[in-house]
Amino acid sequence: MTAFYLSKPYDPPQAPQNLPLDRPWALLGGNSPQQFMKSYWHKKPLLVRGAIPAFELAKRMGEPLDSAISAEDLFKISSNDAVESRFIKAKPWAFTDGPFKKKSIPSLDSPDWTLLLQGMEARHPAAAKILSWFRFIPDARLDDLMISIAGPGGGVGPHFDSYDVFLIQMSGRRRWRISEQKDLSLNPDLPLKILKRFQVEQEWDLEPGDMLYLPPHIAHDGIALDAGCQTWSVGFRAQSYKEILQEGLWRLAESLEDIPELEKRFADPKQTATSQAEQLPQELIKQVAQKLNSLKLDRIENFLPGIAAYLSEPKPQAYFDGSAHDLSPEEFVIQLAKKAVKPHPQTRLLVLGAKVYCNGEDVTTGQASGIKKVWRALAAKKQFKGSMGKIEANNSLFDAFEAGWLVF
């Protein structure tokens, strides 16, 4: 199958801002998002033939579609040291971290290799548009869009993931074998996390436009059948409770800086003479307990701001360049009335009640109502165009723009 090299690139549409959550979607195999979340999400796999109908329609018309991003473009992107990339070779298994020079990547027809590129939504508008299709799932759960391009026989071996993933076939064919086996032990003798005993239960060959959804801990193995095989993986992260609570507690501790009452020093005028000087004094224990009780640190609402801030942090590899943004605050407001401002593709936005968190920071507390309105629109609709009212000296929108977090 080499005809697809001469195909027309697929141009994915941007999803509407108001997604029809109770109507059937081809993307979800005729399920509505509500039905999908109830029956499949985090529960069982779903194979969808023709998840992107455009591929089959174009094929019938004799004008087959290829991936929205060419192999040549992917190779160029892999040379960028700001991109998280990996090269995996099978027979024997080996892997290398990027960046990669084009001459170091085998030809598309060479067998048993795979190039993985993370965070592609920040590198190409087509990838960002694909992510817009999945906004019926909370933004807090989104990880990124990874692209795998491989030669025949390429793959990463039988493995499992700790997150939900949608595997969209974009170019060439890939054979997926899956298993709901309980034995998830890994082979300690290999450089990759490959299952020691993989027992195939189901097998499918996915064509361009097909999609496979897998919940966490489903063993799977994807093998490229054609040169230049591309699979786009939309992954949804799931942190451990330990990680979430640790981050929430750390930010909660930071918030104590804003309570002047806690600047007072411990005093123990009621302390009596003791014959057990080595013991932590009961007076200290009593007073600290009283402070904790008054702060209500055991209530979930006190943890949530820190958790929301943590979950809104960008990926560690995210890079923002605000150096090209040389507008004054007044010019920024004028441009905002003319052009739509959007979050940078690597910017994360989350809402908790009336607060909006951007890249780990609360950007609405202490801000004017017009600025808060813009932030809420950016979080909900991923863009804003219009007036935000008068210019304020303390303007988190302009600060975010200068940092490269927002772009026109």
Side-chain angles (χ1 to χ4, degrees), residues 9 100 137 275 281 332 341 363:
F100 301 103
I137 300 167
S275 61
F332 172 75
V341 70
V363 290

Side-chain angles (χ1 to χ4, degrees), residues 142-392:
L142 178 65
D143 186 16
D144 71 353
L145 188 150
M146 180 187 79
I147 293 181
S148 163
I149 181 169
V156 300
H159 66 287
F160 71 92
D161 297 315
S162 299
Y163 50 81
D164 301 82
V165 63
F166 296 86
L167 302 160
I168 305 169
Q169 196 58 25
M170 274 287 179
S171 183
R173 298 168 301 152
R174 184 178 290 272
R175 176 165 296 157
W176 285 106
R177 304 182 299 162
I178 73 168
S179 172
E180 297 188 45
Q181 65 191 61
K182 301 302 180 186
D183 180 4
L184 298 178
S185 56
L186 303 177
N187 189 329
D189 300 323
L190 296 177
L192 300 168
K193 292 182 178 180
I194 294 178
L195 291 168
K196 183 184 291 187
R197 290 173 287 272
F198 181 51
Q199 301 169 336
V200 180
E201 295 175 357
Q202 297 184 79
E203 179 178 304
W204 308 283
D205 290 353
L206 269 64
E207 304 272 348
D210 293 344
M211 183 180 78
L212 176 63
Y213 161 73
L214 296 176
H217 301 119
I218 297 293
H220 55 286
D221 184 24
I223 302 171
L225 301 180
D226 299 310
C229 169
Q230 278 193 45
T231 303
W232 292 27
S233 304
V234 180
F236 289 84
R237 58 188 179 166
Q239 295 88 347
S240 68
Y241 289 115
K242 176 184 175 182
E243 187 176 345
I244 292 173
L245 290 174
Q246 282 180 333
E247 294 291 338
L249 282 167
W250 175 64
R251 286 166 176 77
L252 182 59
E254 279 195 325
S255 72
L256 300 182
E257 296 284 343
D258 302 325
I259 305 176
E261 174 69 19
L262 297 181
E263 294 292 340
K264 294 181 180 178
R265 293 185 179 275
F266 164 71
D268 55 353
K270 296 182 181 180
Q271 176 65 52
T272 60
T274 179
S275 61
Q276 296 178 308
E278 74 279 5
Q279 292 286 339
L280 191 69
Q282 286 299 313
E283 183 63 24
L284 175 62
I285 295 172
K286 175 185 173 182
Q287 290 190 36
V288 170
Q290 289 173 342
K291 288 295 182 186
L292 287 172
N293 186 54
S294 67
L295 291 170
K296 299 180 175 61
L297 296 183
D298 59 336
R299 294 188 179 181
I300 183 63
E301 57 265 29
N302 291 315
F303 279 89
L304 290 179
I307 292 172
Y310 161 58
L311 293 178
S312 75
E313 287 186 345
K315 292 174 74 71
Q317 298 80 15
Y319 174 73
F320 302 97
D321 183 8
S323 61
H325 299 168
D326 56 357
L327 299 180
S328 68
E330 293 78 11
E331 291 170 330
F332 172 75
V333 172
I334 293 171
Q335 287 295 316
L336 193 61
K338 298 178 181 179
K339 300 178 182 178
V341 70
K342 299 181 179 181
H344 184 281
Q346 294 180 101
T347 289
R348 290 189 183 274
L349 288 165
L350 285 182
V351 175
L352 175 63
K355 295 181 178 181
V356 177
Y357 293 84
C358 178
N359 290 345
E361 295 186 12
D362 174 357
V363 290
T364 49
T365 297
Q367 296 291 304
S369 59
I371 294 174
K372 292 179 180 179
K373 177 185 71 173
V374 178
W375 276 118
R376 285 193 292 269
L378 287 169
K381 300 179 179 180
K382 300 299 183 185
Q383 64 176 19
F384 178 86
K385 177 183 177 183
S387 173
M388 68 173 187
K390 67 177 183 178
I391 301 170
E392 300 286 342

Side-chain angles (χ1 to χ4, degrees), residues 397-408:
L397 275 171
F398 182 69
D399 291 343
F401 172 72
E402 282 198 310
W405 295 1
L406 303 178
V407 294
F408 281 110

Side-chain angles (χ1 to χ4, degrees), residues 62-82:
E63 299 178 355
L65 295 173
D66 194 7
S67 171
I69 309 178
S70 69
E72 189 69 24
D73 285 343
L74 290 177
F75 296 157
K76 287 180 182 177
I77 292 171
S78 75
S79 67
N80 186 336
D81 58 8

